[in-house]
Amino acid sequence: AQKITQTQPGMFVQEKEAVTLDCTYDTSDQSYGLFWYKQPSSGEMIFLIYQGSYDEQNATEGRYSLNFQKARKSANLVISASQLGDSAMYFCAMRESAGGTSYGKLTFGQGTILTVHP
Amino acid sequence: NAGVTQTPKFQVLKTGQSMTLQCAQDMNHEYMSWYRQDPGMGLRLIHYSVGAGITDQGEVPNGYNVSRSTTEDFPLRLLSAAPSQTSVYFCASRERGGLNTQYFGPGTRLTVL
């Protein structure tokens, strides 16, 4: 069974500094995808970044990068130059590869609340 | 292109009442799903569909029904609401197969008294 662990219930960072949000996963699948979502206080789920298990390079999307260490089964999110608007809940999620009628369930971690201080 | 839409945004029910949460997407995605979000537990999959006419159970299906008569719509029915179903419900959609990104609707906050 797949499992996602986010060990940091809350994180604090000063504006303009970088912050790393931890995520470890457990799966027996060889092909899987790792996702990070942001959930601001307004409640919507916003997709941030994706990393495939066969991708050799770490994914980057603007100020977001994913530090993927396959052997350690970790997929940490790095936010550079934090902004006040980055204050939100962040979820790490994993999905096994889907094919045919196999859906590929998305399994979520419990989330990390990030607070950016001015 | 509205993406994934959900109605209503908020709902209060009494125990035993039934209701349907609506979900629609205009991206022609084959895969759709319903999740619930409870404090401290992340999101959990309730039901999903891999195409019109095809649905299956997720992690926490009890007390919920779904149907998928069209590609666009995927309603979630609460048969007899219970306080344990107080939660935030998210509908999501994505393209078929592979590891494609999943897009979420804005959510429905449901309270069962």
Side-chain angles (χ1 to χ4, degrees), chain B residues 4 19 22 24 49 51 56 60 72 80 84 94 100 103 105 109-110 113:
Chain B
V4 182
M19 80 158 295
Q22 300 292 345
S49 169
D56 207 345
V60 287
E72 295 78 20
S80 177
S84 61
R94 65 181 177 93
N100 295 309
Y103 297 93
R109 187 173 293 275
L110 175 69
L113 303 175

Side-chain angles (χ1 to χ4, degrees), chain A residues 38-50:
Chain A
K38 172 184 179 182
Q39 186 177 43
S41 57
S42 51
E44 71 267 34
M45 295 287 287
I46 302 168
F47 165 73
L48 294 178
I49 195 166
Y50 161 78

